[in-house]
Amino acid sequence: MIFIMDTKPWLTCLQQNGYRLTATRKAVVEIIAQTENALNPLEVYEQARRRTRGLGLVTVYRTLEKLEETGLIQRVHQPGGCNAYLPSAHGHQHLIICQQCGHAEYFEGDDMQGLFEQVANQHGFHIREHWLQLFGTCRDCQKN
Ligand SMILES: [Zn+2]
Ligand SMILES: [Zn+2]
């Protein structure tokens, strides 16, 4: 797992970007910074609500927006189409995500340069970037 447990750098980053940190916003940051599962805004809300009083869904959306803007979290695709978020990877990483519980891990390395070149040639493209996300069932969910 490469997810960050210390939220201080996140809070500092947000403050430097002019984001005023209230207790409710902090709760949202803590949930999403420490999650190992991709969470949609409603799930963040449910979890953060247990830590703080008076949290509104709008605060969740705004805070997630700000975190995405500053690059601390990234949006992930979900088969259902609903947006979910995860702490951003450090550098170039790929994502494997459980379709049942949302458990996510980043992995490095891809041996697909050959495939990319083939696709690029076929379509006359010059490939600059790629974004790879694998879906599946995690170890725990396979047992159930
Ligand atoms: Zn799972
Ligand atoms: Zn790659």
Side-chain angles (χ1 to χ4, degrees):
M1 260 308 154
I2 58 136
F3 294 110
I4 316 158
M5 296 313 283
D6 183 12
T7 52
K8 255 188 223 128
W10 286 46
L11 300 174
T12 310
C13 177
L14 285 169
Q15 276 173 323
Q16 281 168 351
N17 281 277
Y19 199 63
R20 210 166 50 83
L21 285 164
T22 59
T24 49
R25 288 171 177 180
K26 260 186 207 162
V28 172
V29 173
E30 276 166 16
I31 295 297
I32 196 72
Q34 298 175 351
T35 187
E36 293 187 351
N37 291 19
L39 298 175
N40 64 43
L42 214 58
E43 289 166 331
V44 173
Y45 174 67
E46 298 283 321
Q47 291 191 26
R49 212 167 48 154
R50 287 183 220 140
R51 297 193 183 192
T52 185
R53 284 155 170 264
L55 174 68
L57 200 49
V58 175
T59 303
V60 174
Y61 279 105
R62 293 252 168 82
T63 308
L64 291 174
E65 219 167 77
K66 194 72 193 175
L67 284 165
E68 195 186 8
E69 246 173 61
T70 48
L72 290 166
I73 62 170
Q74 69 178 55
R75 212 179 279 234
V76 300
H77 293 285
Q78 296 228 290
C82 184
N83 279 333
Y85 297 89
L86 268 181
S88 294
H90 301 283
H92 182 75
Q93 298 266 356
H94 312 94
L95 194 61
I96 187 161
I97 185 164
C98 176
Q99 282 173 287
Q100 282 180 40
C101 71
H103 178 75
E105 307 223 12
Y106 289 111
F107 63 97
E108 277 176 56
D110 44 327
D111 226 341
M112 292 167 296
Q113 219 47 50
L115 173 68
F116 295 159
E117 269 162 38
Q118 193 188 318
V119 174
N121 288 340
Q122 266 171 13
H123 299 275
F125 269 62
H126 173 71
I127 308 281
R128 289 226 178 105
E129 280 181 60
H130 66 266
W131 205 78
L132 181 67
Q133 189 181 316
L134 306 179
F135 294 102
T137 316
C138 76
R139 214 171 271 141
D140 286 340
C141 289
Q142 286 172 42
K143 288 180 205 150
N144 298 328

